[in-house]
Amino acid sequence: MLTREMRRETLLMYAFISPWVIGFVVFALFPILASLYYSFTDYDIIHSPQWIGLGNYKEMFADDLYWNSVMVTLKYTFISVPLQLLLAMGFALLLNQKLPFKGFFRTAMYFPSMVSGVAMSLLWYWVFNPQIGLFNYMLSWFGVKGPAWLMDPNTALYSLIIMSFWGVGGAMIIFLAGLQGVPTSLLEAARLDGAGRLSIFWHVTLPMISPVLLFQLILGVIESFQVFTQAFVMTHGGPNYSTWFYVYGLYTSAFKEYRAGYSSAMAWVLLIVVLIVTYIIMKLSNRYVYYEGGKSR
């Protein structure tokens, strides 16, 4: 039986957590459930939503522009995510060595990842400028005429992929933490057995940091599915829809065409795809990710 003091503490507990609960219900749970309802309606924000069932989903899957956004996003994901992981791991391995001023270089590598997406996009918009941009200016030193970068449908998406490498410092820091957690006893034992650096990395270091690699892979895939700022600031989905990312198409439907129902349907499809892809990665990781007690199960 609860005493008076216990009831008082219980009421205080509910009083302290109530701001978070109210905020979660009003600003998170309700909008999520509302968007699920709107995805089955024809809703333009101004007029009352009209129930149309699966109409938005049928229209979406029959829309060539929708599938173009899917292909652009997948292409970006399959190219940028592996390259970002390789770069981040490579820099982490380098800065994990005994180097002079390594603290400075770690900070310098991490700092760009702290720059806001809009500021970074404006900076790279100048870098990719075909007339006065840094890249084409450097290419001119070697007598090479640089491409149009963001203004050419053949190079615009690859330009944004190159730009994505600017933020590998955040992933590098996490890899660095993982590398410093590898037991030195295992590394020393491998050296005593005559293993070379490549063999030590492949058979000792990589398995020990595989949970970190899995974490970075999942984060990278989810972030790549939500690319928006670069397309919004730099290309507006062009040229010729070559950078029409999924989330940019969602934004256009919601805030330019005022089709809240259609955009809600797009958002729920994206959520389901992210959940499925994350589940597949986790299931496939069972054979390759190692934890302190052995393989994950």
Side-chain angles (χ1 to χ4, degrees):
M1 185 174 179
L2 292 177
T3 64
R4 183 176 180 180
E5 184 64 23
M6 293 173 65
R7 286 196 297 269
R8 179 176 174 276
E9 291 181 357
T10 302
L11 290 175
L12 284 174
M13 182 271 293
Y14 284 122
F16 280 120
I17 69 172
S18 60
W20 182 90
V21 173
I22 295 172
F24 173 76
V25 172
V26 174
F27 298 109
L29 183 60
F30 175 74
I32 290 173
L33 297 178
S35 70
L36 179 60
Y37 167 72
Y38 291 145
S39 70
F40 297 104
T41 66
D42 181 11
Y43 182 41
D44 61 2
I45 302 177
I46 300 174
H47 303 92
S48 299
Q50 302 295 321
W51 183 267
I52 58 173
L54 297 175
N56 286 323
Y57 295 92
K58 292 178 181 178
E59 179 184 351
M60 183 193 315
F61 295 137
D63 186 1
D64 292 337
L65 185 58
Y66 170 81
W67 288 111
N68 176 75
S69 71
V70 171
M71 296 307 299
V72 168
T73 304
L74 289 177
K75 188 174 182 180
Y76 179 91
T77 299
F78 280 116
I79 298 176
S80 70
V81 173
L83 292 178
Q84 286 184 53
L85 291 177
L86 288 174
L87 281 174
M89 186 184 297
F91 283 123
L93 288 168
L94 178 63
L95 295 177
N96 195 42
Q97 308 300 316
K98 294 181 179 180
L99 299 174
F101 308 108
K102 66 179 180 181
F104 167 79
F105 290 116
R106 289 175 181 176
T107 304
M109 281 295 303
Y110 177 71
F111 183 76
S113 64
M114 299 176 63
V115 180
S116 71
V118 174
M120 181 175 66
S121 298
L122 292 174
L123 172 65
W124 280 88
Y125 187 78
W126 165 74
V127 171
F128 287 127
N129 188 293
Q131 279 80 40
I132 60 173
L134 180 63
F135 276 178
N136 283 2
Y137 176 68
M138 295 174 63
L139 290 174
S140 68
W141 296 348
F142 307 96
V144 177
K145 179 178 175 56
W149 297 109
L150 297 172
M151 299 180 183
D152 186 346
N154 297 317
T155 58
L157 181 62
Y158 297 104
S159 301
L160 297 185
I161 292 173
I162 293 173
M163 172 184 165
S164 70
F165 303 152
W166 179 256
V168 299
M172 180 210 69
I173 290 295
I174 298 177
F175 274 122
L176 189 60
L179 289 171
Q180 294 181 350
V182 178
T184 55
S185 58
L186 294 179
L187 301 175
E188 292 172 356
R191 293 191 190 98
L192 289 174
D193 288 340
R197 290 192 174 186
L198 184 59
S199 180
I200 291 174
F201 170 77
W202 188 257
H203 295 289
V204 179
T205 305
L206 190 59
M208 292 301 296
I209 65 170
S210 57
V212 178
L213 183 60
L214 173 64
F215 172 75
Q216 295 283 55
L217 174 62
I218 293 175
L219 278 188
V221 170
I222 294 175
E223 289 177 359
S224 68
F225 282 174
Q226 301 179 73
V227 171
F228 168 74
T229 305
Q230 299 92 310
F232 178 75
V233 175
M234 302 171 69
T235 64
H236 303 288
N240 196 26
Y241 300 103
S242 59
T243 59
W244 194 269
F245 290 98
Y246 192 98
V247 175
Y248 184 80
L250 190 156
Y251 161 83
T252 301
S253 298
F255 298 104
K256 290 188 175 181
E257 300 173 357
Y258 301 105
R259 302 188 62 193
Y262 185 82
S263 61
S264 295
M266 290 184 66
W268 276 94
V269 170
L270 177 61
L271 173 63
I272 293 171
V273 170
V274 167
L275 291 175
I276 292 174
V277 171
T278 302
Y279 175 79
I280 292 173
I281 293 175
M282 291 296 296
K283 292 298 291 184
L284 294 177
S285 70
N286 290 342
R287 297 178 58 188
Y288 305 106
V289 177
Y290 291 79
Y291 295 95
E292 190 172 351
K295 286 186 178 182
S296 62
R297 296 181 179 180

